[in-house]
């Protein structure tokens, strides 16, 4: 099993970008473990299907098993961990065969949440969208895929929060979390990037404007076009990917 560890070798990040170590220091034990393990799962330091041993994590991280168990339950709700009765926990697999269906479902989720956001948003939702797009711009300057993908998720999560349906918002955000590992994997395997980051920022601005104006049809059209490049890039990556090209299986 890969040992749990913090990523102390990462370069310093701009002040505006979330400093994970500082954020962790402010959290409860369960939140700290959650943040540490989630970071390692998304970074693929803990690859898909890796067995997660509570006893070993307790020894390595210096926490009791209770906050570790709480963190694993929360990670399972994010679809990043699989919990099996009497079999413990393991990192959720990446099933490449299911990716096209996941992307189809995500498209429908995002079109619905963005349309409803245009109809139901409140002033504080618009403020959050503006803030998240500024954070994405800062993250893009770092050229760090991890920060860029996280900031992009946060922007779309802000749209979900504005849709006025907490069940749909939670499901869409959860599905977006599920594809983050795939997006990071594509970055690492072939240097895949988003469009020009300035183009992405502009597209975000256009969606914010449509949501502000209450133009539901335009907001839905924009998010469809915005996400289409990502869907096609992921489909191309998966079509050319082989399990021999990268590690999808953990080593227990």
């Amino acid at each position: 099993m890969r040992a749990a560890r913090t990523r102390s070798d990462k370069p310093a990040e701009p002040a505006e970008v979330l400093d994970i170590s500082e954020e962790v220091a402010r959290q409860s034990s369960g939140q700290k473990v959650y943040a540490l393990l989630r970071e390692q799962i998304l970074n693929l330091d803990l690859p898909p299907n890796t067995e997660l041993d509570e006893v070993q994590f307790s020894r390595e991280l210096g926490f009791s098993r209770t906050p570790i168990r709480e963190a694993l339950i929360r990670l399972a709700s994010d679809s990043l961990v699989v919990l099996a009765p009497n079999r413990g926990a393991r990192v959720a697999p990446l099933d490449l065969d299911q990716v096209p269906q996941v992307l189809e479902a995500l498209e429908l989720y995002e079109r619905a949440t963005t349309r409803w956001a245009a109809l139901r948003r409140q002033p504080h939702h618009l403020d959050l969208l503006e803030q998240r797009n500024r954070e994405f711009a800062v993250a893009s300057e770092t050229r760090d895929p991890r920060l860029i993908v996280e900031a992009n998720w946060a922007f779309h999560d802000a749209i979900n929060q504005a849709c006025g349906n907490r069940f749909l918002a939670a499901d869409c955000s959860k599905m977006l979390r599920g594809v983050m590992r795939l997006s990071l994997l594509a970055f690492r395997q072939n240097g895949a990037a988003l469009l020009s980051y300035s183009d992405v920022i502009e597209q975000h601005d256009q969606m914010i404007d449509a949501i502000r104006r209450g133009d539901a049809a335009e907001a839905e059209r924009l998010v469809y076009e915005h996400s289409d490049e990502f869907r096609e890039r992921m489909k191309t990556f998966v079509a050319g990917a082989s399990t021999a090209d990268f590690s999808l299986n953990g080593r227990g």
Side-chain angles (χ1 to χ4, degrees):
M1 172 180 167
R2 298 284 296 273
R5 61 184 184 278
T6 56
R7 297 182 61 82
S8 58
D9 56 340
K10 291 180 65 174
E13 301 165 7
E16 294 88 343
V17 178
L18 175 65
D19 185 320
I20 293 173
S21 62
E22 291 182 3
E23 181 69 15
V24 168
R26 295 193 293 268
Q27 297 170 340
S28 69
S29 296
Q31 290 173 322
K32 288 178 181 178
V33 176
Y34 168 81
L36 290 168
L37 295 183
R38 178 178 170 277
E39 176 76 2
Q40 293 183 53
I41 292 172
L42 291 176
N43 275 330
L44 303 176
D45 293 332
L46 289 172
N49 295 317
T50 298
E51 293 184 4
L52 304 175
D53 188 326
E54 292 181 15
V55 175
Q56 184 169 345
F57 281 136
S58 178
R59 181 169 59 250
E60 294 174 347
L61 300 178
F63 293 102
S64 70
R65 294 180 63 181
T66 297
I68 293 172
R69 189 173 299 111
E70 291 174 355
L72 293 176
I73 292 172
R74 186 175 173 188
L75 289 165
S77 72
D78 289 342
S79 298
L80 294 176
V81 163
V82 175
L83 301 176
N86 303 318
R87 295 180 59 186
R90 60 186 174 86
V91 178
L94 279 175
D95 191 339
L96 299 184
D97 292 338
Q98 294 183 7
V99 169
Q101 294 184 44
V102 170
L103 295 176
E104 285 180 353
L106 181 58
E107 173 196 328
L108 295 177
Y109 272 121
E110 288 196 297
R111 289 171 62 182
T113 57
T114 306
R115 167 176 281 273
W116 287 356
L119 299 173
R120 301 173 176 177
R121 90 290 181 277
Q122 299 298 317
H124 68 276
H125 292 131
L126 295 172
D127 292 341
L128 181 61
L129 283 167
E130 295 281 4
Q131 176 186 336
R132 291 292 184 255
N133 201 25
R134 289 193 298 269
E135 291 170 352
F136 177 84
V138 172
S140 68
E141 293 177 358
T142 71
R143 316 303 290 186
D144 184 330
R146 177 70 178 83
L147 296 176
I148 293 168
V149 170
E150 181 74 32
N152 193 56
W153 177 89
F155 174 81
H156 288 278
D157 180 62
I159 294 179
N160 295 339
Q161 292 179 41
C163 82
N165 185 310
R166 64 187 181 91
F167 300 104
L168 183 63
D171 285 347
C172 186
S173 293
K174 181 177 179 179
M175 185 161 284
L176 282 166
R177 280 290 190 208
V179 301
M180 281 181 66
R181 285 186 300 164
L182 181 65
S183 184
L184 285 166
L185 188 58
F187 264 116
R188 293 182 175 190
Q189 287 304 120
N190 55 18
L194 298 170
L195 299 167
S196 162
Y197 294 121
S198 61
D199 288 343
V200 176
I201 294 166
E202 175 60 25
Q203 290 174 1
H204 286 176
D205 279 333
Q206 291 173 358
M207 284 185 280
I208 294 171
D209 182 61
I211 291 171
R212 178 182 292 108
R213 292 185 288 105
D215 191 336
E218 178 68 357
E220 180 181 353
R221 182 188 70 80
L222 287 168
V223 77
Y224 174 80
E225 292 183 355
H226 172 71
S227 300
D228 190 53
E229 185 272 342
F230 168 76
R231 290 191 298 272
E232 291 306 313
R233 178 161 49 87
M234 290 300 99
K235 290 176 183 177
T236 299
F237 170 69
V238 170
S242 164
T243 53
D245 296 333
F246 45 82
S247 175
L248 285 183
N249 296 308
R251 295 291 182 261

